[in-house]
Amino acid sequence: MSEPASAAIKADYDAVVVGAGFAGLYMIHKLRSLGLSVLAFEAGSGVGGTWFWNRYPGARCDVYSLEYSYSFDEALQREWVWTERYPAQAEILRYIEHVADRFDLRRDIRFNTRVASAHYNEPANLWRVETEAGEAVTARFCIMASGALSAPRKPDFAGLDDFAGTWYHTGHWPHEPVDFTGQTVAVIGTGSSGIQVTPMVAQQAKRLFVFQRTPNFSIPAWNHPLPDHVQDAWKRDAAQLRAKAKATKSGALYEYGQRGAFEVSEEERQREFDARWARGGANFTHAFNDLFKDRAANDLAADYVRGKIREIVKDPAIAAKLTPTDHAIGTKRICVDTDYYATFNRENVTLVDARETPITRITQAGIETSGGHYAVDSIVFATGYDAVTGALTRIDIRGRGGVSLAEKWQDGPKTYLGLMVAGFPNLFTITGPGSPSILTNVVMAIEQHVEWVGDCLTYMARNAATTIEAEPKAEEDWVNHVREVAEATLHVQANSWYMGANIPGKPRVMLPYVGGLGVYTGICNDIAADGYRGFAMARAG
Ligand code: N01
């Protein structure tokens, strides 16, 4: 189906990579190892992507550090020493910087450079990538490693420009330390970011107002230093443990309950929830195998956490306000915290119900709600992201016939495997919509995509193919499959960012693939083994 490529115009590079976070860095390394020339563009002044920008106090990953790291290089795995069970942002960034140095990746990255557009030049079979500064390069392949949670949702409150204090977004935190000592501060938003930043700000600020529109479920992290013997044992068995993790649903070694919640007695269920609460983290939502499918089963887990909130929060009225009732536990990203609920026992912390009394505008002195005015010195917006698709649709990406990706996706993203889009030849999306991406330990999802793309490019070279493109029928079937798998779960009922529900006007579509990383990897491998079924390949004419 593809037109023959013209050899008349030579590309500046074999590949352009957009982004230098976990995905972009491994992609650069992979492309180089295939003998391809590569240039990466990165908006930040350093590597790290999400972990470069999210410097807010309390920022920490909720996947174990030993698992939230690359597995592709044995020596890298052995030499890096993690200090805590869950890694803090600064430690993850140090690790990513170490990776960039170790594999000498920076020389192919242009920093402080945001990509404005990527246009496919059909006769030449090249991508022309232009930066906001107007610099343009051409490449045979364009690989978007632009992240799933990298397009912060800009606060759109009326009056923000009038605010005389300082405001921050958790996803775009300053590099200089921010000191809230002696200040009255507002945190707006109670998702994973808000839940992490709140206890930290509460310790510093004179007074803290937390504006909550929708309460979330959170499980304690019980973070602690990582004992040497745990780290040593992991490193000894890393190959085997990594293979095991990649075969799971979440790409992480959670203990996946094998029984339904009603298959055990009430006492056993209680013991299971108690044990998981005591161990902490996202493992909690895997207690039973039907928690994401059966609302009654899910209610049991949700009720357990609701009970914990009532135990922790001393004022019953505040506990009630902090208790989620609008969604099944886990169908919005489960939060993992350190002292979040207990923070509302502090004298200097006030919970403001932003559903009962919505924020109407920001004033010069603070925040106006329908219930009154709150004078504050600083505002922390923890209001989230235009997730999964935002980083892609914010770039003017145009494929065949000048069709824009944003237009093609106006009713929801359409991809084949979350990797390619019909009409956009030689454009790959790492952890794109329709792939497991952020529903898993994303580093494992990234590695799987990068390796699949690497194998694909090798196959193309061997077969003298110059163009690969998703076939429209394969794309349509995949989109339907992604939807059907999602519809069999409770995920589709929640107003989550997974469903695009946090962005006004965004189509309501489950963005990541719920089928699980292990299953998905099998599908991708089968398709590749079957001569890249569903992809059209063309040779130079
Ligand atoms: O963003 P969110 P996030 N008035 O979209 C509220 C990952 N992550 O940055 O629910 C008042 O979850 C909004 O309220 P509502 C993780 O995958 C991981 O916290 O729309 N409130 C919500 O409470 C996570 O899921 C880690 O009613 C407003 C909040 O802002 C993802 O990133 C740490 C509002 C946004 O929550 C995103 O998390 C941090 C308004 N006008 C992030 N507009 C870890 O690994 C929005 N809100 C631990």
Side-chain angles (χ1 to χ4, degrees), residues 372-455:
H373 185 265
Y374 297 82
V376 298
D377 302 302
S378 296
I379 305 175
V380 174
F381 291 100
T383 43
Y385 298 85
D386 184 352
V388 187
T389 51
L392 296 167
T393 53
R394 285 179 188 190
I395 298 173
D396 178 24
I397 301 175
R398 289 175 189 271
R400 283 186 197 284
V403 171
S404 103
L405 188 72
E407 277 166 31
K408 171 163 174 159
W409 286 1
Q410 63 188 354
D411 297 325
K414 294 183 173 59
T415 70
Y416 184 30
L417 301 175
L419 273 160
M420 293 201 88
V421 182
F424 296 75
N426 293 352
L427 176 89
F428 295 94
T429 51
I430 305 300
T431 64
S435 76
S437 70
I438 27 76
L439 216 49
T440 67
N441 169 7
V442 76
V443 184
M444 294 302 97
I446 285 168
E447 285 195 339
Q448 186 264 336
H449 264 194
V450 168
E451 285 159 15
W452 192 95
V453 171
D455 291 347

Side-chain angles (χ1 to χ4, degrees), residues 50-51 54 56 58-63 68 149 153 156-157 169-171 188-196 211-216 326 332-336 354-355 358-359 381-385 387 438 495-498 501-502:
T50 287
W51 298 106
N54 275 263
Y56 61 87
R60 188 180 288 284
C61 184
D62 57 10
V63 177
Y68 193 80
L149 290 161
R153 196 180 155 202
D156 50 3
F157 297 95
H169 190 288
T170 49
I188 301 180
T190 52
S192 296
S193 305
I195 279 176
Q196 286 189 326
F211 289 77
Q212 170 194 269
R213 195 165 58 182
T214 314
N216 264 310
D326 73 316
K332 282 180 138 185
R333 173 66 141 71
I334 192 79
C335 301
V336 177
R355 187 161 305 276
I359 298 169
F381 291 100
T383 43
Y385 298 85
I438 27 76
N495 288 324
S496 64
W497 59 257
Y498 291 142
N502 64 328

Side-chain angles (χ1 to χ4, degrees), residues 469-489:
E469 182 177 357
E471 290 171 352
K473 176 73 173 78
E475 180 178 271
E476 191 188 324
D477 289 349
W478 183 252
V479 170
N480 288 336
H481 174 64
V482 170
R483 198 192 51 245
E484 279 161 17
V485 174
E487 280 172 356
T489 72

Side-chain angles (χ1 to χ4, degrees), residues 123-389:
N125 188 27
L126 293 177
W127 281 90
R128 182 178 186 277
V129 179
E130 192 169 327
T131 70
E132 283 186 351
E135 185 197 356
V137 298
T138 56
R140 294 164 54 216
F141 298 99
C142 182
I143 301 165
M144 305 302 300
S146 41
L149 290 161
S150 51
R153 196 180 155 202
K154 234 182 129 216
D156 50 3
F157 297 95
L160 184 57
D161 289 344
D162 303 335
F163 183 54
T166 315
W167 66 266
Y168 308 88
H169 190 288
T170 49
H172 201 147
W173 201 262
H175 282 214
E176 311 72 50
V178 176
D179 187 359
F180 294 113
T181 307
Q183 292 193 18
T184 300
V185 182
V187 169
I188 301 180
T190 52
S192 296
S193 305
I195 279 176
Q196 286 189 326
V197 80
T198 289
M200 301 300 285
V201 178
Q203 287 169 29
Q204 252 186 17
K206 183 175 73 187
R207 187 91 203 268
L208 170 63
F209 295 106
V210 179
F211 289 77
Q212 170 194 269
R213 195 165 58 182
T214 314
N216 264 310
F217 291 100
S218 190
I219 311 294
W222 309 127
N223 188 38
H224 54 69
L226 200 57
D228 288 347
H229 70 90
V230 172
Q231 187 139 212
D232 292 345
W234 169 269
K235 288 179 181 177
R236 261 197 314 277
D237 275 346
Q240 201 195 338
L241 292 167
R242 292 293 202 166
K244 200 170 157 199
K246 288 176 196 182
T248 65
K249 189 169 188 285
S250 302
L253 293 173
Y254 296 127
E255 292 139 272
Y256 298 91
Q258 300 300 319
R259 292 171 302 174
F262 291 103
E263 285 177 46
V264 301
S265 68
E266 203 178 326
E267 293 72 32
E268 200 172 338
R269 204 159 50 226
Q270 183 71 21
R271 272 202 303 278
E272 187 65 34
F273 288 143
D274 282 344
R276 284 179 186 255
W277 182 270
R279 283 200 291 279
N283 201 25
F284 185 86
T285 52
H286 298 291
F288 297 100
N289 64 12
D290 49 0
L291 297 186
F292 289 94
K293 296 205 162 147
D294 177 347
R295 187 64 194 245
N298 187 289
D299 280 344
L300 298 169
D303 280 346
Y304 180 90
V305 177
R306 291 181 187 123
K308 286 290 181 190
I309 299 171
R310 281 193 295 274
E311 270 175 35
I312 299 167
V313 180
K314 290 190 186 128
D315 181 330
I318 297 172
K321 281 193 186 305
L322 286 167
T323 300
T325 52
D326 73 316
H327 65 280
I329 186 169
T331 57
K332 282 180 138 185
R333 173 66 141 71
I334 192 79
C335 301
V336 177
D337 72 281
T338 298
D339 293 337
Y340 175 65
Y341 295 122
T343 293
F344 293 92
N345 293 331
R346 293 176 66 108
E347 291 287 323
N348 67 332
V349 177
T350 304
L351 181 67
V352 182
D353 187 334
R355 187 161 305 276
E356 213 169 79
T357 56
I359 298 169
T360 48
R361 60 178 292 114
I362 308 291
T363 66
Q364 194 191 359
I367 297 172
E368 184 80 54
T369 73
S370 63
H373 185 265
Y374 297 82
V376 298
D377 302 302
S378 296
I379 305 175
V380 174
F381 291 100
T383 43
Y385 298 85
D386 184 352
V388 187
T389 51

